[in-house]
Amino acid sequence: QSALTQPRSVSGSPGQSVAISCTGTTSDVGGYNYVSWYQQHPGKAPKLMIYDVIKRPSGVPDRFSGSKSGNTASLTISGLQAEDEADYYCSSNADRYTWVFGGGTKLTVL
Amino acid sequence: EVQLLESGGGLIQPGGSLRLSCAASGFSFSSHTMIWVRQAPGKGLEWVSSCGGDSRTTYYADSVKGRFAISRDNSKNTMFLQMSGLRAEDTALYFCSRKQFGVHTIDVWGQGTTVTVS
């Protein structure tokens, strides 16, 4: 499986919105609604932010939202806050046992 | 509280072997597929291996197939990763993680254990 494609970096000012894209193929992102997004702060474990493309685990602010169109999924963060600065990874799990991750996107809050 | 605690990492010479452990607590361990994910220094996440709840279903990334073996002991709520034929490119932080029951996502992560092959 090839890694999903994410931009290396995105940035935004506090209060603004940013979107991070995640492009795959019809065998992963495009073929199933099983895209997840993870937030990782330096030296920390990843944290689940979005699953099944659009669903938010309890405790995740509704500023975080997910969507998908064709082979590309997106994570949108609205009302940017300083604590949102982190690395973000998308993943796809089509068959319950194997995962493919994106290369990661570094979000900078200006 | 749901917890995953990895151990067993360290410095190992190329070609050597190492066994990682992941101790789980706070949930019904045998009900969940468990997963190893690694992160090389300064790099992204890479899925390594998965083990179904009954231990019979195991999957490996091509990069480790034939060298790594995943297993679990449900009586001790522990998962293992036996690594052999280690290479410099296996150097990484190894995370133990849990697949959420009935959902195609990883919902719980340990803090990781570091493996350095040098």
Side-chain angles (χ1 to χ4, degrees):
Chain A
Q1 288 176 323
S2 299
L4 306 177
T5 301
Q6 297 181 233
R8 291 189 69 108
S9 64
V10 297
S11 62
S13 299
Q16 288 186 331
S17 294
V18 294
I20 300 172
S21 62
C22 170
T23 301
T25 68
T26 54
S27 296
D28 39 61
V29 174
Y32 310 89
N33 289 326
Y34 297 142
V35 176
S36 299
W37 289 92
Y38 300 92
Q39 176 191 68
Q40 186 181 35
H41 287 108
K44 299 294 187 181
K47 175 187 175 183
L48 178 64
M49 305 301 284
I50 296 286
Y51 67 99
D52 288 355
V53 178
I54 60 171
K55 297 177 182 178
R56 263 189 323 274
S58 62
V60 173
D62 59 7
R63 302 185 295 104
F64 291 83
S65 62
S67 62
K68 191 183 84 167
S69 177
N71 294 336
T72 299
S74 297
L75 172 70
T76 299
I77 309 171
S78 58
L80 266 180
Q81 299 181 4
E83 60 261 36
D84 298 334
E85 184 162 298
D87 293 327
Y88 291 84
Y89 294 90
C90 63
S91 77
S92 175
N93 167 237
D95 61 5
R96 295 188 298 154
Y97 293 107
T98 65
W99 271 260
V100 59
F101 288 93
T105 298
K106 181 177 180 58
L107 168 63
T108 300
V109 180
L110 301 170
Chain B
E1 182 189 3
V2 174
Q3 276 194 320
L4 299 172
L5 184 62
E6 304 93 335
S7 61
L11 175 63
I12 188 78
Q13 291 185 339
S17 298
L18 210 55
R19 189 195 200 202
L20 305 184
S21 299
C22 170
S25 60
F27 64 97
S28 177
F29 181 69
S30 62
S31 296
H32 293 263
T33 291
M34 298 298 293
I35 303 129
W36 288 100
V37 176
R38 68 185 180 184
Q39 186 170 33
K43 302 296 185 182
L45 302 173
E46 179 190 14
W47 169 75
V48 174
S49 182
S50 304
C51 185
D54 61 4
S55 301
R56 283 184 232 141
T57 307
T58 59
Y59 286 81
Y60 300 93
D62 288 343
S63 57
V64 306
K65 201 172 292 183
R67 300 187 299 122
F68 289 12
I70 192 171
S71 62
R72 61 195 291 166
D73 184 341
N74 287 341
S75 69
K76 296 181 179 178
N77 290 347
T78 304
M79 175 176 68
F80 306 97
L81 186 68
Q82 179 67 49
M83 304 185 294
S84 59
L86 284 162
R87 307 166 180 166
E89 54 264 37
D90 295 319
T91 293
L93 181 61
Y94 284 72
F95 292 105
C96 166
S97 60
R98 180 187 86 168
K99 177 187 173 296
Q100 187 172 346
F101 185 80
V103 181
H104 290 240
T105 195
I106 297 172
D107 66 336
V108 179
W109 299 72
Q111 290 303 306
T113 186
T114 299
V115 173
T116 303
V117 184
S118 177

